[in-house]
Amino acid sequence: MEDVFGLAKDSILSNFKSSATGGDLDGILNLFNGKQSISGSPLVKNIISDYAGQLISKLGFSTNTAKSISSIAIPFIMNMINKETPDAGIPENDLLSMLGSSAFTGGKKSVLGKLKNLF
């Protein structure tokens, strides 16, 4: 389970960072500021696809199993992250800081740290 969760975290963070460095901060901000639905987000669709690929290539899951897990797990995790987002949303500077800090990745009190306990 730890490997499954670790790959989800890696897929989310790498896609956030790619999106941010590729100039699509608005895509991330819209997702966390309630301007883009999780189900309609191209970023989330990319994360789901990336995560499924990781499950297949690194853990040997079948294609169908990987697609099923990723299509459920990633939206669930994104919803949990959204619940941790302030009602006013995340300012761009704060988002950039979080992508490079422990707000998403470190410790039991981080967003992904809290999510780890769910798996």
Side-chain angles (χ1 to χ4, degrees):
M1 270 301 160
E2 192 162 320
D3 289 341
V4 171
F5 176 77
L7 289 176
K9 180 180 80 170
D10 292 347
S11 291
I12 291 168
L13 289 174
S14 70
N15 277 277
F16 281 177
K17 288 180 182 181
S18 290
S19 194
T21 58
D24 189 23
L25 279 177
D26 288 339
I28 301 170
L29 290 170
N30 288 341
L31 186 62
F32 292 116
N33 294 341
K35 295 179 183 176
Q36 172 81 53
S37 71
I38 289 172
S39 63
S41 168
L43 174 60
V44 173
K45 290 177 184 177
N46 285 341
I47 296 169
I48 290 170
S49 177
D50 181 62
Y51 182 47
Q54 297 288 333
L55 290 172
I56 294 165
S57 66
K58 294 188 177 177
L59 299 181
F61 282 75
S62 71
T63 301
N64 288 339
T65 300
K67 286 181 178 180
S68 293
I69 291 171
S70 63
S71 67
I72 294 169
I74 297 302
F76 176 78
I77 292 169
M78 298 306 294
N79 278 319
M80 294 299 294
I81 293 171
N82 270 342
K83 287 181 183 179
E84 296 291 327
T85 302
D87 289 338
I90 301 173
E92 185 175 321
N93 289 338
D94 290 350
L95 177 64
L96 291 172
S97 295
M98 288 195 302
L99 288 174
S101 76
S102 63
F104 280 98
T105 60
K108 292 180 181 179
K109 292 186 179 183
S110 72
V111 173
L112 291 176
K114 290 177 186 177
L115 292 174
K116 186 175 183 181
N117 295 326
L118 297 174
F119 294 97

